[in-house]
Amino acid sequence: MRQYAEKLGRATVSGLEELGYALSLFVESFYWIFFGYRRGQSVSIAATFKQMMQVGVAAIPISAALSFAVGIMLAIQGIHTLKAFGAESQVVVGIALSVTREFAPLIIGILIAGRSGSAIAARVGTMQVSQEIDALQVIGISPVRYLVAPALLAMMVMVPTLTFFADIVGMLGGAFFSVLELNISMEAYVDRTIKALTVDDILQGIWKSIVFAIIIAVVGFINGFSVTGGAEGVGKATTRSVVQAISLIIVADMAFTFYLNH
Amino acid sequence: MTTTKKISSEPVIEVQDLVAHYGSREVLHGINLSIHDGEIMVIMGGSGSGKSTVLRHMLGLNTPSSGAVKLLGQDITRITSKEIDILRRNIGVSFQGGALFNSMTVGENIILPLREHTQLDEKTMQIMCRMKLELVSLAGFEDLMPAQLSGGMVKRAALARAIIMDPKLLFFDEPSAGLDPVVSAELDELILRIRQAMKTTIVVVTHELDSTFRIADRITVLDEGNVLMVGTVDEVRNSKNKRIMDLLGRRVREIKIDAEEYLNRLTGEQVRETG
């Protein structure tokens, strides 16, 4: 019994430690972003743009494909469900709201966690193993300023941007199927979508995606920085960062949805 | 910038009563060291002696449980991170595996400290980079990626990066690790040449005896987290201390063999008290 209590206690402490580390990483990044220039160590704009290309621009094709598919999937399910009430044409509203409020941020969050969160963990983990992080430190370059801040900033800009993009492509996917299935015109579909949507719906998705961006970046870096034990350690950290980021995204999504709709 | 006094009696590196833990295990039990201006100090010891840990503390990469580490008169365990960053411009480090940034060319690696800490124009930085590459006999290699270099070349490139800011203190972690004897001897020559050219104070952490005797002015021998002795090459060679003789003679530590205990270990039974 006591053994279990001890285990639980230890797990709680290490969990809290990690949470504290995450918070300090986040705060320190913003310190460098806003006040770095005062110490003559500004966050590199070039590095931030490079990250933006990798996180955002390079992910456009896959984001488009996934959100288009999700749009179609929602249209199929929506029409099937609403048929029972003879209200198939209401599917437009269903797609518009569920894509902007829920599916676009979630799909993009999960995609970027798998694509860029893992890349962060692997890159930083490898740097940790080969003492490149130590080298940065002894050169007098803060790893948080040099590595974390640009990636975090890039994530916080690109994940919402991709989410907005996914909003549009997702609704297009839904429209594509509904127009064919329900014999309505594209204009009518677009018109009804615009009537159904409020700015609030879109913003709800965008806010969520910013939170997801922070989760992905911070989880990736924490796992990368804590790598020990060579190549195997890097592999473990990479997997761990993806699983943790996706789990946290889903839980945060639920909490966020609850909070925003009460 | 701080000006160091050229009085050799004034230590530029001072470690005082350094105690360090990994988790709950104490790995350094009160280390005292002082290293003078322009001297080459080799910190020697077997694996697990704590020599790498001492180095990490001297570089400010680990925080000690107690004690002080003074570099150029400043206690790095007490000063702010801003002050440490400024101090670090006077420090160069050559890591065991080189620790070159794999995503940058050799030239970019070497220039990085200049780019981050100075306002020099690109041309000047390029020239300084080539000067250091000449010094380590790697001229013309600045556009290669670190992955394209051999082990010895990586170490030399890392050394070029370490000295690009003309540091007052230069640290080496296992310079000969993973190199063949010839390349390793060349690197030792290079270390001596740099000291001569730049009057740098150099600290080398190694377990290589040949290399130690070639380059050291003084040697600190560490064993299980304690300083066994500090002395010149001859003093260490002629030491009558049993552990030091063991280290020099490459003899293994004596292991008492107890037949019954050995049998128990093999069969996996609990070790009984031997009385």
Side-chain angles (χ1 to χ4, degrees):
Chain A
M1 192 61 209
R2 207 181 122 198
Q3 213 178 339
Y4 289 111
E6 261 175 31
K7 237 184 204 168
L8 186 73
R10 228 171 262 140
T12 314
V13 168
S14 77
L16 280 177
E17 240 172 58
E18 218 157 50
L19 191 71
Y21 186 28
L23 263 176
S24 71
L25 215 54
F26 181 72
V27 171
E28 209 190 322
S29 296
F30 274 88
Y31 166 80
W32 288 111
I33 290 168
F34 290 121
F35 304 113
Y37 69 94
R38 272 204 217 156
R39 275 170 71 165
Q41 295 203 33
S42 340
V43 172
S44 156
I45 296 170
T48 310
F49 272 92
K50 198 175 155 201
Q51 286 291 318
M52 281 181 174
M53 289 297 288
Q54 284 173 4
V55 172
V57 179
I60 286 176
I62 180 77
S63 306
L66 288 188
S67 20
F68 197 77
V70 166
I72 292 178
M73 178 269 281
L74 282 174
I76 297 170
Q77 293 285 19
I79 289 170
H80 176 80
T81 316
L82 290 167
K83 215 173 239 166
F85 310 103
E88 294 99 313
S89 60
Q90 290 305 316
V91 75
V92 183
V93 180
I95 291 170
L97 294 184
S98 52
V99 165
T100 53
R101 291 164 75 105
E102 200 57 59
F103 281 96
L106 202 57
I107 288 293
I108 295 298
I110 290 172
L111 174 70
I112 299 299
R115 213 180 154 272
S116 305
S118 60
I120 288 175
R123 181 167 61 101
V124 175
T126 313
M127 290 181 78
Q128 182 71 265
V129 169
S130 62
Q131 287 191 297
E132 286 174 48
I133 303 285
D134 290 343
L136 274 179
Q137 253 169 337
V138 299
I139 290 172
I141 299 173
S142 154
V144 176
R145 194 253 312 172
Y146 194 76
L147 298 170
V148 184
L152 182 66
L153 208 55
M155 285 272 180
M156 288 176 70
V157 173
M158 290 322 272
V159 176
T161 311
L162 281 175
T163 301
F164 186 70
F165 172 72
D167 282 346
I168 293 166
V169 180
M171 286 189 280
L172 267 179
F176 171 75
F177 187 82
S178 311
V179 164
L180 291 179
E181 184 79 6
L182 301 175
N183 272 324
I184 52 173
S185 75
M186 194 67 184
E187 287 91 61
Y189 188 97
V190 172
D191 202 45
R192 293 192 54 196
T193 300
I194 291 171
K195 279 212 182 87
L197 276 181
T198 62
V199 178
D200 220 38
D201 295 320
I202 294 175
L203 277 184
Q204 193 173 125
I206 300 292
W207 284 126
K208 274 185 193 172
S209 69
I210 295 175
V211 174
F212 297 167
I214 298 168
I215 289 174
I216 296 166
V218 170
V219 167
F221 277 108
I222 288 182
N223 281 296
F225 281 130
S226 60
V227 163
T228 49
E232 198 191 334
V234 175
K236 271 188 195 151
T238 309
T239 313
R240 194 164 172 261
S241 84
V242 175
V243 174
Q244 274 184 351
I246 292 179
S247 315
L248 280 175
I249 282 176
I250 290 173
V251 173
D253 185 41
M254 182 200 70
F256 224 80
T257 309
F258 179 81
Y259 173 74
L260 286 178
N261 294 294
H262 263 70
Chain B
M1 230 185 250
T2 50
T3 47
T4 45
K5 302 117 207 154
K6 287 281 166 205
I7 314 156
S8 63
S9 61
E10 188 84 10
V12 286
I13 302 173
E14 253 188 304
V15 178
Q16 294 165 341
D17 301 318
L18 181 68
V19 176
H21 290 79
Y22 277 132
S24 56
R25 199 161 53 89
E26 188 174 298
V27 288
L28 298 178
H29 320 291
I31 301 285
N32 284 292
L33 257 180
S34 58
I35 299 165
H36 300 287
D37 198 11
E39 137 177 271
I40 297 183
M41 169 66 93
V42 175
I43 299 177
M44 206 181 79
S47 333
S49 59
K51 59 186 191 304
S52 303
T53 312
V54 171
L55 180 70
R56 290 187 67 83
H57 280 94
M58 287 202 277
L59 299 175
L61 291 171
N62 289 9
T63 316
S65 313
S66 67
V69 179
K70 286 184 188 159
L71 302 182
L72 303 171
Q74 282 179 290
D75 184 352
I76 59 169
T77 60
R78 302 264 183 310
I79 61 180
T80 64
S81 68
K82 195 175 174 177
E83 288 169 314
I84 253 195
D85 278 352
I86 294 167
L87 182 63
R88 275 175 170 155
R89 292 170 201 187
N90 294 312
I91 295 170
V93 185
S94 166
F95 284 96
Q96 188 170 350
L100 293 176
F101 303 111
N102 267 314
S103 53
M104 303 178 189
T105 65
V106 172
E108 283 167 348
N109 259 291
I110 294 169
I111 286 176
L112 184 71
L114 291 177
R115 210 187 284 289
E116 295 293 327
H117 294 314
T118 68
Q119 310 292 324
L120 298 173
D121 63 289
E122 192 65 31
K123 267 267 157 54
T124 316
M125 291 196 286
Q126 294 286 353
I127 291 170
M128 289 178 72
C129 167
R130 290 198 196 105
M131 277 167 63
K132 301 300 180 194
L133 278 172
E134 290 283 349
L135 186 64
V136 299
S137 324
L138 275 180
F141 284 88
E142 59 261 44
D143 292 328
L144 291 185
M145 299 303 282
Q148 294 170 289
L149 302 183
S150 72
M153 285 153 92
V154 166
K155 294 239 168 157
R156 279 184 283 151
L159 178 53
R161 183 179 68 186
I163 58 176
I164 189 76
M165 299 278 287
D166 292 327
K168 297 191 176 71
L169 310 176
L170 191 52
F171 294 86
F172 288 86
D173 189 9
E174 301 278 0
S176 13
L179 300 180
D180 65 60
V182 178
V183 178
S184 158
E186 282 169 6
L187 200 65
D188 291 340
E189 277 306 309
L190 193 56
I191 293 172
L192 291 171
R193 193 153 21 115
I194 283 168
R195 195 260 301 261
Q196 206 174 22
M198 300 168 46
K199 308 275 177 278
T200 319
T201 307
I202 295 177
V203 178
V204 181
V205 166
T206 186
H207 63 265
E208 283 286 325
L209 293 170
D210 297 343
S211 164
T212 302
F213 293 145
R214 259 198 303 266
I215 58 177
D217 293 326
R218 286 195 304 152
I219 300 172
T220 300
V221 185
L222 286 189
D223 188 43
E224 291 173 348
N226 293 304
V227 175
L228 267 188
M229 83 171 285
V230 181
T232 62
V233 173
D234 286 333
E235 281 167 4
V236 171
R237 267 196 174 135
N238 301 326
S239 167
K240 293 280 173 279
N241 183 307
K242 203 160 163 302
R243 280 295 293 144
I244 292 175
M245 285 166 70
D246 283 351
L247 273 169
L248 298 190
R250 301 175 197 214
R251 273 197 296 147
V252 290
R253 262 172 278 193
E254 276 175 46
I255 299 164
K256 277 192 215 123
I257 292 174
D258 180 319
E260 196 177 349
E261 208 181 307
Y262 176 66
L263 200 67
N264 284 335
R265 274 208 302 274
L266 291 188
T267 53
E269 278 175 37
Q270 288 287 315
V271 179
R272 270 171 280 166
E273 294 92 336
T274 44

